[in-house]
Amino acid sequence: MSSVADLLETAMRLHQTGELAQAEQLYAQILQSEPRHADALYLLGTLAHQTRRHDLAMVFITQAITLDGTKPFYHNNLGEVHRTFGRLAEAQACYRQALALDPGFSAAHYNLGLVLSATQPAEAQHHYEQAIRLRPDFGAAHNNLGNLLRAQDKLNEAVEAYRSALRCHADNADAVGNLGTALLELERFSEAIDQFEQAVRLRPDSADAHFNLGNAHKAACNWPSAAECYARALRLRPNFAEAACNLGNALRIQGDAPGAKAAYLEVLRCKPEHVDALVGYGAVLQSEGKSDEAIEYYDRALRAKPDSALAHFYRGSVLMSRRLREDAVAAFTEALRLRPNYPEACANLAIVYNDAGQPDTALEYCRRGLDLGSNIGSLYGNMAIALHAQGRGREAIDCYRKSLALRPGNPAEHSNLLYALNLMPEYDPPALLAEHLEWARRHAEPLTAQAARHDNDRAPQRRLRVGYVSPHFHEHAVNYFVEPILTSHNHDEFEIFCYSSVMLPDAVTERLKAAADHWHDVKVKTDAQVAQMVRDDRIDILVDLSGHMGWTRLLVFARKPAPVQVTYIGYQNTTGMSAMDYRLTDDHADPSGVTDPFYTEQLVRLPRAFFCYKAGATPPTTPPPALENGYVTFGSFNNFAKVMPEVIETWLKILSRVPRSRLMVLAYRGGYLERHIHELAAQRGIDPDRIELFDKRWRQEYLQLVAQADIGLDPFPFNGHTTTCDSIWMGVPVVMLEGQTYASRFGGSVLANVGLAHLIARSVEEYIDLAVDLAGDIDRLSQLRGELRPRMAASPLADFAGFTRNLEQAYRRMWVDWCERADRLP
């Protein structure tokens, strides 16, 4: 007959090899013979714990400890049973007793670390480190130490802990996934993707592994790869709502609205109150221009979860697009209250405040977002806009470059930088051309290389299809020059198409729509879709009216959808694109042979002027205010981004030479800029009260403000143009400094056409002298006040029909040239 010792040895061997039923029978047999056999009770309890009979395990291990309380592993395993029941205090006591009996018990250190992690992380870390010191190859301890460090945002230390776990066990899927998560939080995206790909190799049938890999691709903005991973996760787990929702997000961002909708609806079919899916579906509707329906989904999300920062944020974005500023601010502020670490909400608040003419507040939100540790490009982009409004152009350039560095593939971000560079005196024409060529190389030329040839009817004198592309077919400065063209076209010879990206149509939109033969609302269309529409419409000449200005559609033109492409009026430099054939200008703005080398387009100089101007309904002119005031008032009504520090210094010199004169500036009041200008004036001995700032206002009020000036002062090196036309129309002469670029000359076309070319200076000193001399001749100011509007009305600038005939002749010559070139092609 076998001894108890033999039976115990056999039972333990069976236990270790997984033959648990046989082992249990032998442990029971031992206890029948020796009911107080502590090891048999302990092992039977351990086996019961392994087979999920935890109550029984508690009884047997407790009995074993009662018989022999000196065995540390008894206490450790009793702690494991308590932990299974969630009795963490009791488990902790057991582990501590085990360590009291054996301070070198690595498993007890590890288990004590587990129960202390949530409440006493510092002590938990100590016990994990002790377990590792005692057993360097303790992979689970390394892994859990990493989890503890990651929970404390000690991400770099967590990464090292996970790497140590993997040195112990290279195929530890948990450590691989945890390492990927830590790297993702560190924004080390490519390394994170590598780890999650390894996790997928280790667990190819794990939906979670594919989901995590998708999240890594999403963080890296690899949207097609992210969508593919989420789709795999869904194939493995069809009811995986988060994967379906994230798939919808990835497809939405790629412009696949139908696919995104299908993914979101699949989530909502199972979970009608899934907040992220409701918001995502609303975002698709919003991108389709269905803002009312989008609001309904955002409201559904808020009913399901009133404290959803995401829903408040997206609701705010609709309100912002509708220019409902107070409501938008309330929505974004609530999103930020609910999620203090929400840099995107800070960025959108900055947009709203910039749009409201409150750059100081916009700047505060940009800085707040950056203080959160965020590196989203829109924060730097909006900071640049605010800095421009404060007259801090060079700081703005730095922010534009930082924004572009974060979003190098974003053409709009790059265009913002280009526009800003035109304002800088230190950028000469070759430097500006180089910057524009770089934009085209990065964003446009790859698309142009793929463009198909055109098979338009090459008859040179047939009726031509001309398309105009603009985001500004509404109440906007560009339309003082575009509307008279659209209403004056000869529709017998030209069929007019308009491709409008207007977000909020108005009465001007309706007038322009009536002037066109065909009107396409393309605000929710991608550039590729618009380009295809142009091809389908068989447009012969496509005209860009915005260039690198906001809401640019240059990537439509990059795809070369029309045989002849022209840029006009909206932007003051080259597009830099090989796909843009022509640029419309005149001899004053671009003297022949002088500026041609700095454009990628062929310059077409229109007779007399490159534009015509329609003032619309305006207040009557009034006598010069100096007659009643007894002093001369200078005024600048341009976008203040054009006002460099050198310009302010020049204006102050003019004020110092014209006693009692005053200066009106259209810029935001009550903040940094006003304080700064007044401080500069005081430093130069000029009473700050002689300089008054005025907030932006609607056109009629703005024109009445212009009429309060006696003399307009133009900024440099970037002229005014619309403001110069407006000033002349109100009888206010403008002093201008001419330079070597179109941006520093195009305003001169206005003065030259109304007989004021003598007010165009060639140096700062001459600019000052011209302003001072004119201020000293009140009789001349009175005469000009009465003459300028009639002069302008009788000038080529107001000859809408004549100008449009010249423009149409230019279009016809472009077309004939294309036909001749096309006929020579094989």
Side-chain angles (χ1 to χ4, degrees):
M1 183 176 180
S2 299
S3 66
V4 168
D6 291 337
L7 287 173
L8 184 62
E9 182 179 350
T10 302
M12 290 173 62
R13 186 172 62 254
L14 292 168
H15 194 162
Q16 291 169 352
T17 58
E19 299 175 72
L20 302 184
Q22 297 92 321
E24 185 173 3
Q25 289 176 358
L26 292 180
Y27 292 142
Q29 186 177 337
I30 292 169
L31 289 171
Q32 285 177 355
S33 174
E34 295 186 21
R36 296 174 62 81
H37 195 293
D39 283 345
L41 285 165
Y42 162 73
L43 291 167
L44 189 57
T46 301
L47 191 151
H49 182 50
Q50 288 176 286
T51 54
R52 301 181 183 276
R53 293 171 292 165
H54 306 304
D55 288 331
L56 193 59
M58 182 74 67
V59 171
F60 286 133
I61 297 175
T62 301
Q63 288 177 3
I65 291 173
T66 302
L67 294 169
D68 184 357
T70 65
K71 303 284 181 66
F73 48 88
Y74 287 11
H75 294 279
N76 180 68
N77 277 25
L78 182 60
E80 288 293 85
V81 178
H82 278 300
R83 188 159 66 89
T84 300
F85 284 112
R87 298 195 285 259
L88 300 185
E90 290 86 345
Q92 183 182 145
C94 291
Y95 300 139
R96 290 191 188 281
Q97 182 60 32
L99 289 171
L101 294 168
D102 181 4
F105 193 174
S106 62
H109 279 293
Y110 171 77
N111 289 333
L112 185 54
L114 287 177
V115 298
L116 293 172
S117 292
T119 57
Q120 301 175 56
E123 188 180 354
Q125 181 173 341
H126 165 75
H127 285 288
Y128 285 139
E129 289 170 345
Q130 285 297 98
I132 291 167
R133 182 184 63 80
L134 292 163
R135 187 176 142 199
D137 65 345
F138 200 157
H142 286 290
N143 182 60
N144 278 22
L145 175 60
N147 291 340
L148 185 68
L149 293 166
R150 185 162 64 86
Q152 300 174 70
D153 288 328
K154 298 177 180 178
L155 296 175
N156 288 307
E157 295 173 60
V159 165
E160 291 309 310
Y162 294 136
R163 292 198 189 282
S164 295
L166 291 170
R167 282 192 287 271
C168 299
H169 303 287
D171 291 341
N172 182 335
D174 289 336
V176 169
N178 289 336
L179 175 57
T181 300
L183 290 167
L184 189 58
E185 291 173 2
L186 283 167
E187 298 185 355
R188 291 158 62 176
F189 300 135
S190 62
E191 295 175 75
I193 289 169
D194 289 343
Q195 290 302 315
F196 287 126
E197 285 177 344
Q198 173 67 1
V200 166
R201 284 191 289 271
L202 292 170
R203 294 176 176 171
D205 294 331
S206 167
D208 289 323
H210 290 283
F211 177 75
N212 290 336
L213 178 57
N215 288 343
H217 281 298
K218 177 185 75 170
C221 297
N222 300 331
W223 298 109
S225 298
E228 185 178 341
C229 292
Y230 295 136
R232 285 185 195 143
L234 281 167
R235 285 195 291 273
L236 291 165
R237 191 192 302 166
N239 61 346
F240 197 165
E242 295 309 312
C245 188
N246 282 10
L247 174 60
N249 293 337
L251 295 173
R252 172 169 60 86
I253 289 168
Q254 293 178 81
D256 181 359
K261 282 182 174 179
Y264 292 134
L265 288 174
E266 184 61 25
V267 178
L268 296 173
R269 182 180 59 80
C270 303
K271 298 183 177 182
E273 295 188 346
H274 193 288
V275 171
D276 287 352
L278 288 167
V279 171
Y281 196 84
V284 177
L285 293 171
Q286 187 177 342
S287 72
E288 294 175 335
K290 302 172 183 175
S291 58
D292 289 339
E293 295 175 56
I295 285 279
E296 291 178 12
Y297 274 85
Y298 301 148
D299 287 344
R300 276 180 60 185
L302 287 170
R303 286 194 295 273
K305 187 180 180 185
D307 61 350
S308 169
L310 187 71
H312 283 290
F313 174 83
Y314 271 90
R315 195 174 193 280
S317 67
V318 173
L319 299 169
M320 180 173 68
S321 70
R322 293 176 172 178
R323 300 292 178 89
L324 300 173
R325 290 171 182 160
E326 292 183 5
D327 293 337
V329 166
F332 293 135
T333 302
E334 181 65 6
L336 200 53
R337 184 189 70 79
L338 293 166
R339 189 194 299 176
N341 188 4
Y342 204 161
E344 291 83 1
C346 292
N348 276 15
L349 280 163
I351 292 172
V352 175
Y353 282 111
N354 271 329
D355 190 52
Q358 299 178 50
D360 290 17
T361 306
L363 208 54
E364 289 175 12
Y365 277 107
C366 290
R367 287 171 175 151
R368 178 173 172 179
L370 293 170
D371 287 344
L372 294 172
S374 171
N375 262 338
I376 64 173
S378 57
L379 285 170
Y380 285 110
N382 284 300
M383 180 176 280
I385 293 169
L387 289 168
H388 261 313
Q390 292 183 338
R392 299 158 69 180
R394 292 178 175 88
E395 294 174 70
I397 293 294
D398 290 340
C399 287
Y400 280 128
R401 290 203 182 278
K402 288 177 181 176
S403 179
L404 182 60
L406 291 167
R407 298 190 285 184
N410 187 315
E413 203 74 43
H414 203 164
S415 288
N416 289 340
L417 171 64
L418 294 184
Y419 175 77
L421 292 177
N422 287 293
L423 306 171
M424 298 292 108
E426 53 267 37
Y427 279 82
D428 61 12
L432 289 170
L433 175 61
E435 294 278 357
H436 286 77
L437 288 172
E438 174 57 21
W439 182 94
R441 182 197 66 78
R442 189 181 300 185
H443 308 292
E445 300 307 326
L447 298 172
T448 305
Q450 301 171 24
R453 290 182 60 184
H454 303 94
D455 59 356
N456 297 52
D457 179 356
R458 300 179 190 179
Q461 299 304 319
R462 68 172 173 81
R463 187 188 189 202
L464 296 181
R465 293 178 166 225
V466 177
Y468 291 96
V469 180
S470 177
H472 301 310
F473 288 137
H474 61 102
E475 181 61 48
H476 189 277
V478 169
N479 292 313
Y480 306 141
F481 311 101
V482 171
E483 183 173 1
I485 296 171
L486 291 181
T487 56
S488 301
H489 263 307
N490 179 345
H491 291 266
D492 292 334
E493 294 191 15
F494 296 89
E495 187 174 1
I496 305 303
F497 294 71
C498 289
Y499 301 88
S500 169
S501 297
V502 172
M503 299 306 293
L504 294 174
D506 57 16
V508 175
T509 310
E510 292 305 310
R511 289 205 308 268
L512 297 175
K513 188 182 296 187
D517 296 298
H518 307 276
W519 186 273
H520 294 300
D521 183 349
V522 298
K523 64 177 176 289
V524 299
K525 302 290 186 183
T526 66
D527 291 330
Q529 289 170 332
V530 176
Q532 189 57 52
M533 290 176 67
V534 171
R535 279 192 177 271
D536 292 343
D537 287 338
R538 304 187 67 78
I539 298 300
D540 301 308
I541 300 175
L542 190 66
V543 184
D544 157 53
L545 297 175
S546 58
H548 286 287
M549 297 290 282
W551 297 95
T552 175
R553 283 292 198 168
L554 285 179
L555 295 190
V556 171
F557 290 79
R559 292 170 166 83
K560 195 65 174 176
V564 176
Q565 301 195 149
V566 184
T567 186
Y568 175 55
I569 203 68
Y571 183 62
Q572 293 74 30
N573 210 320
T574 182
T575 63
M577 299 163 54
S578 64
M580 196 69 76
D581 303 297
Y582 297 98
R583 188 172 188 280
L584 295 171
T585 183
D586 65 26
D587 280 318
H588 189 96
D590 284 298
S592 184
V594 175
T595 58
D596 299 70
F598 307 115
Y599 295 95
T600 55
E601 304 86 3
Q602 179 180 337
L603 296 184
V604 173
R605 294 173 174 85
L606 296 173
R608 303 185 297 185
F610 70 89
F611 67 97
C612 56
Y613 165 78
K614 180 179 180 180
T618 54
T621 58
T622 57
L627 292 176
E628 182 177 341
N629 294 334
Y631 55 79
V632 168
T633 301
F634 295 100
S636 174
F637 307 101
N638 301 86
N639 177 352
F640 200 81
K642 297 181 179 182
V643 181
M644 295 291 104
E646 298 88 336
V647 176
I648 296 175
E649 289 292 340
T650 301
W651 291 347
L652 292 175
K653 289 177 181 177
I654 293 171
L655 290 181
S656 69
R657 286 183 54 183
V658 182
R660 299 181 61 218
S661 63
R662 300 177 67 84
L663 173 63
M664 302 166 57
V665 180
L666 192 66
Y668 78 100
R669 303 177 61 183
Y672 164 86
L673 178 62
E674 190 167 37
R675 293 192 302 272
H676 177 63
I677 291 178
H678 285 172
E679 286 170 5
L680 289 175
Q683 290 168 11
R684 287 148 185 78
I686 299 170
D687 183 354
D689 288 342
R690 291 172 62 189
I691 304 172
E692 188 172 4
L693 276 62
F694 294 85
D695 291 320
K696 291 183 179 180
R697 52 206 60 208
W698 293 107
R699 181 161 175 79
Q700 289 296 311
E701 294 176 351
Y702 148 77
L703 290 173
Q704 290 167 358
L705 185 67
V706 171
Q708 295 178 34
D710 295 291
I711 301 170
L713 295 177
D714 201 46
F716 53 84
F718 199 123
N719 292 166
H721 182 243
T722 306
T723 50
T724 301
C725 290
D726 294 337
S727 296
I728 300 300
W729 188 254
M730 296 306 298
V732 180
V734 178
V735 176
M736 180 176 297
L737 175 60
E738 186 175 83
Q740 298 304 308
T741 64
Y742 174 91
S744 64
R745 299 181 60 89
F746 75 129
S749 289
V750 185
L751 300 188
N753 274 281
V754 294
L756 293 180
H758 61 281
L759 294 182
I760 302 173
R762 272 70 184 179
S763 69
V764 172
E765 292 74 19
E766 185 183 1
Y767 178 96
I768 295 171
D769 289 342
L770 286 171
V772 172
D773 291 346
L774 190 56
D777 192 345
I778 300 300
D779 290 340
R780 179 63 177 148
L781 287 175
S782 296
Q783 181 182 0
L784 288 172
R785 196 72 166 206
E787 290 180 355
L788 288 182
R789 183 176 290 188
R791 276 198 209 177
M792 196 172 199
S795 77
L797 305 185
D799 180 7
F800 307 149
F803 175 84
T804 306
R805 296 295 83 74
N806 290 333
L807 178 66
E808 290 172 344
Q809 288 174 21
Y811 287 163
R812 182 66 66 180
R813 287 194 298 272
M814 295 173 192
W815 177 248
V816 171
D817 287 346
W818 181 81
C819 291
E820 291 176 352
R821 291 196 309 274
D823 285 339
R824 290 195 294 269
L825 293 174

